[in-house]
Amino acid sequence: MKKWFLVLLLMGIALGFGGIQPSEAVKDLKVAVAGPFTGSAAAFGEMIERGAKLKADEINEAGGINGMTLTLIFEDDAGKDGEASLVAERIATNREILAVVGHFNSSCSLAGKPIYKRAGIVALSPGSTNVNVCKGSDWTFRNLYRDDFQGQFIAKYIKSVLPELQNVAVLFDNDDYGRGLADAFIMEAKAVGLKLVASEAYDRDNTDFKAQLTSIKAKNPDGIFISGLYGQAALIAKQAREADITAQFFGADGVDSPDFLKIAGPAAEGTYLTTPFLFGADNEAAQVVADNFKAAYDVAPDTWAALSYDAVGMIAEAIEATYSEKAFLKQNRKAIRDYLASLDTPEEGYKGITGLTYFDEHGDTLNKPAYVKVVKDGQFTAAPQQLLNLDAPE
């Protein structure tokens, strides 16, 4: 009797240890998607979720990954670094999750980075642009440009394409994204001969910008660069026009949301902004995705839907190439990281709808350009003149 009990006990222990391995009766492969699905940046989160789902659905309809279903686990960080830390801990300790698409906000990616590094799980961001997001961790990647490039690009664009804007002011969100982008813009603006007449900060939760705008109005700028997200940018534009400020507005990719148009209304008209990607008729693959997205959600996709679509595709490709049912979770996670790190040349890069993505030693993408949109007749449209030959900073 004792002998059989011992045999059964040993079998149970063996099965228990086997359960650590994904190989035991795996039916689906889980990837987390972390982003601001509630809060002040929720419009970004909605597009991220939809773009990610569209790609996962396409993969599963085509037979999945090596015959297994790709399942996305959505985690809401509300666009706040404190919440992002909690989300990162929850993801990192979930023994079924292989990798992370996210986060969106730079402050959230920076908060999650040490947690993901410690746990050994990849985080591939489709939206974080702060210079330091990828540095210092072998486990963090992104598939878009950095803010030092974007800030420099905006200053050069103004100088080259909008020469009437000689005196510029900056209004920036006092967080990692807003400060880093504003700093890069200010440095390059001075280098190319623009005159900085004012620089004002605001907090993410602000809704009243009259004090900053009053100070800026007194300096009579030709242009105002808003370094922040769409919600605050829209309110700034409205309140500026109400205060009879006629300066040309320029924003960055944080303003790139349809909700900027909804909130700002007529005050958005004429605003220029940079973006990592533009849907266009010359990109047939992207147009197919845009049509499928519109059919699924009854709205057009934006930049963040496209980048999230590609981020899920990259992770799925890595899993397909490396996943072993006999390996431990830690080994499968590392294999995904090693695969992404191996995409370090144009020849090895991932060919997605947002272009070719390959990485440097930090996990930064090397070749993604910036595009420019302008608000015309209440809609975003490609600016008549683009500058696509500017080199990214080292």
Side-chain angles (χ1 to χ4, degrees):
M1 193 71 176
K2 290 182 180 179
K3 181 179 179 181
W4 281 108
F5 177 78
L6 180 60
V7 170
L8 290 172
L9 178 62
L10 291 173
M11 288 177 63
I13 292 172
L15 288 172
F17 280 123
I20 295 175
Q21 298 187 22
S23 61
E24 300 299 325
V26 167
K27 299 296 182 184
D28 60 352
L29 301 166
K30 293 183 173 64
V31 171
V33 179
F37 304 121
T38 61
S40 61
F44 291 131
E46 184 175 47
M47 283 292 180
I48 291 166
E49 180 179 1
R50 289 172 171 178
K53 279 184 175 179
L54 184 66
K55 184 61 177 179
D57 288 345
E58 290 177 1
I59 290 169
N60 290 329
E61 288 168 7
I65 300 175
N66 300 330
M68 290 174 283
T69 301
L70 174 61
T71 298
L72 300 181
I73 308 297
F74 292 92
E75 289 281 1
D76 179 20
D77 62 29
K80 297 180 179 180
D81 53 0
E83 190 64 31
S85 295
L86 298 176
V87 164
E89 290 284 3
R90 195 155 57 240
I91 291 171
T93 55
N94 186 326
R95 298 195 60 80
E96 295 184 331
I97 293 177
L98 293 168
V100 187
V101 171
H103 298 239
F104 174 78
N105 301 82
S106 292
S107 59
C108 293
S109 285
L110 289 166
K113 180 169 67 174
I115 298 168
Y116 296 132
K117 179 181 180 180
R118 185 172 65 248
I121 182 171
V122 159
L124 171 58
S125 173
S128 295
T129 51
N130 179 271
V131 173
N132 296 313
V133 162
C134 293
K135 290 181 179 178
S137 174
D138 293 336
W139 296 86
T140 303
F141 300 81
R142 59 176 144 204
N143 64 343
L144 74 168
Y145 53 55
R146 297 187 323 215
D147 278 333
D148 48 354
F149 169 69
Q150 183 176 203
Q152 292 171 24
F153 177 95
I154 294 168
K156 290 175 180 177
Y157 188 93
I158 291 173
K159 183 66 175 179
S160 301
V161 180
L162 303 169
E164 66 274 17
L165 306 185
Q166 294 293 318
N167 301 317
V168 296
V170 177
L171 254 172
F172 65 95
D173 188 343
N174 195 22
D175 75 345
D176 294 302
Y177 170 73
R179 287 192 304 271
L181 180 58
D183 288 346
F185 171 81
I186 290 169
M187 184 178 297
E188 188 64 22
K190 292 177 179 178
V192 299
L194 298 175
K195 183 178 180 181
L196 181 70
V197 297
S199 179
E200 296 281 343
Y202 63 85
D203 292 327
R204 178 70 55 83
D205 296 329
N206 276 20
T207 58
D208 185 345
F209 303 93
K210 292 185 179 64
Q212 292 96 328
L213 290 171
T214 297
S215 176
I216 286 174
K217 184 179 180 180
K219 307 297 176 55
N220 195 31
D222 304 313
I224 299 174
F225 172 49
I226 305 172
S227 181
L229 303 186
Y230 66 88
Q232 291 72 32
L235 294 176
I236 288 168
K238 286 183 69 173
Q239 292 172 24
R241 297 310 185 217
E242 290 167 358
D244 296 323
I245 295 174
T246 60
Q248 171 70 56
F249 284 115
F250 212 108
D253 52 15
V255 183
D256 187 10
S257 168
D259 278 30
F260 172 71
L261 304 175
K262 295 177 186 176
I263 299 168
E269 194 69 16
T271 299
Y272 284 84
L273 60 91
T274 46
T275 184
F277 177 69
L278 280 173
F279 280 96
D282 58 336
N283 186 333
E284 293 183 10
Q287 191 56 52
V288 169
V289 171
D291 293 342
N292 292 341
F293 190 99
K294 184 69 165 22
Y297 303 115
D298 199 31
V299 294
D302 70 0
T303 296
W304 313 113
L307 286 164
S308 299
Y309 178 95
D310 274 356
V312 170
M314 291 185 74
I315 293 294
E317 182 180 272
I319 294 172
E320 183 176 33
T322 66
Y323 180 78
S324 170
E325 295 185 52
K326 296 181 179 180
F328 289 94
L329 175 67
K330 183 177 180 180
Q331 295 168 319
N332 278 317
R333 285 179 170 181
K334 186 176 186 302
I336 293 168
R337 191 222 76 84
D338 291 346
Y339 182 88
L340 292 180
S342 75
L343 307 181
D344 57 359
T345 66
E347 293 73 25
E348 296 292 337
Y350 176 82
K351 298 175 179 65
I353 64 168
T354 63
L356 186 66
T357 300
Y358 55 100
F359 305 106
D360 67 9
E361 68 274 18
H362 302 296
D364 285 317
T365 130
L366 292 170
N367 66 318
K368 289 292 187 76
Y371 299 87
V372 181
K373 294 180 177 180
V374 62
V375 180
K376 184 178 180 181
D377 298 326
Q379 299 295 324
F380 288 128
T381 185
Q385 187 169 345
Q386 303 289 328
L387 294 179
L388 300 179
N389 60 345
L390 299 180
D391 293 330
E394 295 297 328

